[in-house]
Amino acid sequence: MEQIFATEQINQAITRVAAQISRDYEGKTVLLVTVLKGGVLFLGQLLPQLVGDFQIDFVTIQSYGDKTVSTELNFVHDLTVDPKGMDIVIIEDIIDSGKTVRFLKEHLTRRGANSIKVAALVKKQTESSHPELQPDYFGLEYHDQEFIVGYGFDIGGKYRNLPNIFKI
Ligand code: IMP
Ligand code: MG
Protein backbone atom coordinates (compact mmCIF):
# COMPACT_ATOMS: atom_id res chain seq x y z
CA MET A 1 0.00 0.00 0.00
CA GLU A 2 1.27 3.46 -0.91
CA GLN A 3 0.13 6.51 1.04
CA ILE A 4 -1.41 9.17 -1.20
CA PHE A 5 -3.10 11.58 1.24
CA ALA A 6 -2.03 12.28 4.83
CA THR A 7 -4.40 13.20 7.67
CA GLU A 8 -3.22 16.81 7.61
CA GLN A 9 -3.98 17.18 3.90
CA ILE A 10 -7.39 15.51 4.33
CA ASN A 11 -8.27 17.87 7.20
CA GLN A 12 -7.25 20.95 5.19
CA ALA A 13 -9.32 19.78 2.21
CA ILE A 14 -12.40 19.25 4.39
CA THR A 15 -11.99 22.68 6.01
CA ARG A 16 -11.98 24.23 2.53
CA VAL A 17 -15.13 22.32 1.51
CA ALA A 18 -16.85 23.38 4.76
CA ALA A 19 -16.12 27.04 4.00
CA GLN A 20 -17.50 26.72 0.45
CA ILE A 21 -20.72 25.01 1.57
CA SER A 22 -21.24 27.46 4.48
CA ARG A 23 -20.88 30.40 2.10
CA ASP A 24 -23.10 28.95 -0.68
CA TYR A 25 -25.96 28.07 1.68
CA GLU A 26 -25.93 31.14 3.90
CA GLY A 27 -29.42 31.78 5.29
CA LYS A 28 -30.80 28.42 4.12
CA THR A 29 -31.75 25.20 5.85
CA VAL A 30 -29.70 22.35 4.39
CA LEU A 31 -30.18 18.60 4.63
CA LEU A 32 -26.90 16.70 4.36
CA VAL A 33 -27.61 13.20 3.07
CA THR A 34 -24.62 10.98 3.81
CA VAL A 35 -24.08 7.77 1.89
CA LEU A 36 -23.12 5.03 4.34
CA LYS A 37 -20.76 3.69 5.20
CA GLY A 38 -17.77 5.41 3.62
CA GLY A 39 -19.12 8.96 3.99
CA VAL A 40 -19.27 8.97 7.81
CA LEU A 41 -15.70 10.10 8.44
CA PHE A 42 -16.06 12.91 5.92
CA LEU A 43 -19.35 14.00 7.53
CA GLY A 44 -17.90 13.77 11.03
CA GLN A 45 -15.04 16.08 10.14
CA LEU A 46 -17.16 18.42 7.98
CA LEU A 47 -20.26 18.94 10.14
CA PRO A 48 -18.73 20.85 13.09
CA GLN A 49 -17.02 23.20 10.62
CA LEU A 50 -20.25 24.17 8.86
CA VAL A 51 -21.77 27.50 9.82
CA GLY A 52 -25.53 27.79 9.36
CA ASP A 53 -28.58 25.53 9.64
CA PHE A 54 -27.51 21.98 8.75
CA GLN A 55 -29.55 18.83 9.34
CA ILE A 56 -28.35 15.30 8.65
CA ASP A 57 -29.75 12.05 7.33
CA PHE A 58 -28.28 8.81 6.00
CA VAL A 59 -28.87 6.32 3.22
CA THR A 60 -27.37 2.93 2.52
CA ILE A 61 -27.20 1.99 -1.12
CA GLN A 62 -26.30 -1.53 -2.07
CA SER A 63 -24.92 -2.59 -5.40
CA TYR A 64 -25.16 -6.08 -6.74
CA GLY A 65 -21.69 -6.15 -8.17
CA ASP A 66 -18.37 -7.34 -7.01
CA LYS A 67 -16.44 -5.39 -4.39
CA THR A 68 -15.20 -2.66 -6.70
CA VAL A 69 -17.84 -2.02 -9.38
CA SER A 70 -21.39 -0.73 -8.86
CA THR A 71 -23.94 -2.46 -11.07
CA GLU A 72 -27.64 -2.69 -10.06
CA LEU A 73 -28.36 -0.32 -7.17
CA ASN A 74 -31.05 -0.29 -4.52
CA PHE A 75 -31.75 1.18 -1.08
CA VAL A 76 -31.02 -0.90 1.98
CA HIS A 77 -31.84 2.12 4.17
CA ASP A 78 -33.78 5.12 2.88
CA LEU A 79 -34.03 8.65 4.32
CA THR A 80 -35.92 9.20 7.56
CA VAL A 81 -36.34 12.96 6.92
CA ASP A 82 -38.82 13.95 4.18
CA PRO A 83 -36.65 15.55 1.46
CA LYS A 84 -39.64 17.36 -0.13
CA GLY A 85 -38.78 21.01 -0.66
CA MET A 86 -35.35 20.63 0.99
CA ASP A 87 -32.01 21.93 -0.24
CA ILE A 88 -29.83 18.85 -0.15
CA VAL A 89 -26.10 18.23 -0.22
CA ILE A 90 -25.16 14.59 -0.76
CA ILE A 91 -22.10 13.59 1.28
CA GLU A 92 -20.13 10.84 -0.47
CA ASP A 93 -16.72 9.34 0.15
CA ILE A 94 -15.79 9.12 -3.51
CA ILE A 95 -17.33 9.63 -6.92
CA ASP A 96 -15.99 7.07 -9.34
CA SER A 97 -18.36 6.25 -12.22
CA GLY A 98 -20.98 8.52 -10.63
CA LYS A 99 -23.66 5.82 -10.79
CA THR A 100 -24.35 5.81 -7.05
CA VAL A 101 -24.79 9.56 -6.95
CA ARG A 102 -26.96 9.58 -10.07
CA PHE A 103 -29.21 6.92 -8.53
CA LEU A 104 -29.55 8.92 -5.30
CA LYS A 105 -30.14 12.20 -7.14
CA GLU A 106 -32.94 10.64 -9.20
CA HIS A 107 -34.54 9.30 -6.02
CA LEU A 108 -34.33 12.69 -4.23
CA THR A 109 -35.71 14.49 -7.29
CA ARG A 110 -38.68 12.08 -7.42
CA ARG A 111 -39.31 12.76 -3.74
CA GLY A 112 -39.50 16.50 -4.38
CA ALA A 113 -36.14 17.89 -3.24
CA ASN A 114 -35.81 21.60 -4.02
CA SER A 115 -32.13 21.43 -4.95
CA ILE A 116 -29.40 18.78 -4.86
CA LYS A 117 -25.65 19.21 -4.86
CA VAL A 118 -22.90 16.68 -4.23
CA ALA A 119 -19.88 16.88 -1.95
CA ALA A 120 -17.28 14.11 -2.24
CA LEU A 121 -14.16 13.73 -0.16
CA VAL A 122 -12.34 12.36 -3.21
CA LYS A 123 -13.03 12.98 -6.86
CA LYS A 124 -11.72 10.06 -8.88
CA GLN A 125 -10.99 10.88 -12.49
CA THR A 126 -10.88 7.70 -14.56
CA GLU A 127 -12.14 6.47 -17.94
CA SER A 128 -15.44 5.43 -16.35
CA SER A 129 -16.10 8.91 -14.89
CA HIS A 130 -18.99 10.71 -16.55
CA PRO A 131 -18.16 14.42 -16.86
CA GLU A 132 -21.77 15.37 -16.05
CA LEU A 133 -21.64 13.40 -12.80
CA GLN A 134 -18.79 15.29 -11.18
CA PRO A 135 -19.23 16.53 -7.60
CA ASP A 136 -20.08 20.19 -6.94
CA TYR A 137 -17.67 20.14 -3.98
CA PHE A 138 -14.68 17.87 -3.49
CA GLY A 139 -11.77 17.72 -1.11
CA LEU A 140 -9.12 15.75 -2.97
CA GLU A 141 -8.52 14.65 -6.54
CA TYR A 142 -7.23 11.22 -7.48
CA HIS A 143 -6.27 10.28 -11.04
CA ASP A 144 -5.11 6.66 -10.81
CA GLN A 145 -7.06 3.46 -11.39
CA GLU A 146 -6.04 1.71 -8.18
CA PHE A 147 -8.55 1.34 -5.39
CA ILE A 148 -7.99 3.58 -2.39
CA VAL A 149 -8.43 2.65 1.28
CA GLY A 150 -8.29 4.41 4.64
CA TYR A 151 -10.15 7.35 6.20
CA GLY A 152 -13.49 5.61 5.64
CA PHE A 153 -12.56 3.94 2.37
CA ASP A 154 -12.65 0.18 2.44
CA ILE A 155 -12.04 -2.85 0.37
CA GLY A 156 -14.31 -5.67 1.45
CA GLY A 157 -15.03 -3.82 4.72
CA LYS A 158 -11.38 -3.49 5.71
CA TYR A 159 -9.07 -0.52 6.34
CA ARG A 160 -11.72 2.15 7.04
CA ASN A 161 -9.98 3.03 10.30
CA LEU A 162 -6.64 4.03 8.77
CA PRO A 163 -6.03 7.76 9.42
CA ASN A 164 -4.38 8.33 6.03
CA ILE A 165 -5.51 7.35 2.51
CA PHE A 166 -3.54 4.71 0.60
CA LYS A 167 -3.74 3.19 -2.86
CA ILE A 168 -3.48 -0.56 -3.08
P1 IMP B 1 -19.65 4.91 -8.33
O1 IMP B 1 -21.10 4.52 -8.23
O2 IMP B 1 -18.93 4.17 -9.42
O3 IMP B 1 -19.43 6.40 -8.41
O4 IMP B 1 -18.95 4.36 -7.04
C1 IMP B 1 -19.12 4.97 -5.86
C2 IMP B 1 -18.92 4.03 -4.69
O5 IMP B 1 -17.98 2.98 -4.93
C3 IMP B 1 -18.34 4.86 -3.59
O6 IMP B 1 -19.38 5.36 -2.78
C4 IMP B 1 -17.45 3.91 -2.85
O7 IMP B 1 -18.16 3.27 -1.83
C5 IMP B 1 -17.04 2.88 -3.86
N1 IMP B 1 -15.71 3.15 -4.38
C6 IMP B 1 -15.37 3.59 -5.61
N2 IMP B 1 -14.04 3.70 -5.74
C7 IMP B 1 -13.52 3.36 -4.54
C8 IMP B 1 -12.15 3.28 -4.05
O8 IMP B 1 -11.16 3.54 -4.72
N3 IMP B 1 -12.03 2.87 -2.75
C9 IMP B 1 -13.09 2.55 -1.96
N4 IMP B 1 -14.36 2.62 -2.39
C10 IMP B 1 -14.57 3.01 -3.67
MG1 MG C 1 -19.87 4.42 -0.87
Side-chain angles (χ1 to χ4, degrees):
M1 293 207 294
E2 182 194 330
Q3 184 175 309
I4 51 167
F5 303 115
T7 310
E8 182 75 359
Q9 206 180 345
I10 299 167
N11 288 342
Q12 281 171 10
I14 296 175
T15 298
R16 182 172 41 75
V17 171
Q20 290 169 346
I21 295 175
S22 300
R23 185 196 58 215
D24 290 356
Y25 288 91
E26 206 183 328
K28 291 186 174 165
T29 296
V30 182
L31 178 62
L32 303 174
V33 176
T34 298
V35 183
L36 294 173
K37 302 170 186 169
V40 286
L41 277 85
F42 180 26
L43 176 74
Q45 187 78 16
L46 181 75
L47 190 60
Q49 299 189 66
L50 292 171
V51 180
D53 183 7
F54 291 90
Q55 304 182 6
I56 62 171
D57 204 353
F58 298 90
V59 293
T60 302
I61 297 167
Q62 185 180 299
S63 80
Y64 297 110
D66 64 22
K67 287 193 190 92
T68 60
V69 183
S70 0
T71 49
E72 279 286 293
L73 298 171
N74 80 311
F75 284 97
V76 175
H77 171 73
D78 201 347
L79 300 162
T80 58
V81 176
D82 185 359
K84 196 169 164 48
M86 301 287 290
D87 292 308
I88 292 174
V89 180
I90 295 171
I91 305 295
E92 250 288 31
D93 51 2
I94 188 165
I95 311 293
D96 183 8
S97 69
K99 280 184 207 155
T100 305
V101 146
R102 184 175 57 198
F103 175 77
L104 180 54
K105 273 182 154 177
E106 283 167 4
H107 179 75
L108 294 168
T109 301
R110 262 198 312 277
R111 292 192 57 182
N114 182 55
S115 71
I116 308 164
K117 283 192 178 182
V118 178
L121 178 56
V122 176
K123 178 168 121 172
K124 194 173 184 178
Q125 204 83 59
T126 66
E127 288 139 41
S128 59
S129 319
H130 296 272
E132 72 275 18
L133 296 170
Q134 293 305 309
D136 302 283
Y137 307 99
F138 62 92
L140 303 158
E141 264 185 288
Y142 177 63
H143 296 280
D144 287 343
Q145 297 290 333
E146 287 93 348
F147 226 58
I148 61 171
V149 296
Y151 205 88
F153 293 99
D154 73 306
I155 183 148
K158 276 181 74 118
Y159 305 121
R160 290 193 201 274
N161 56 307
L162 300 178
N164 307 313
I165 296 176
F166 301 84
K167 68 177 177 184
I168 54 170

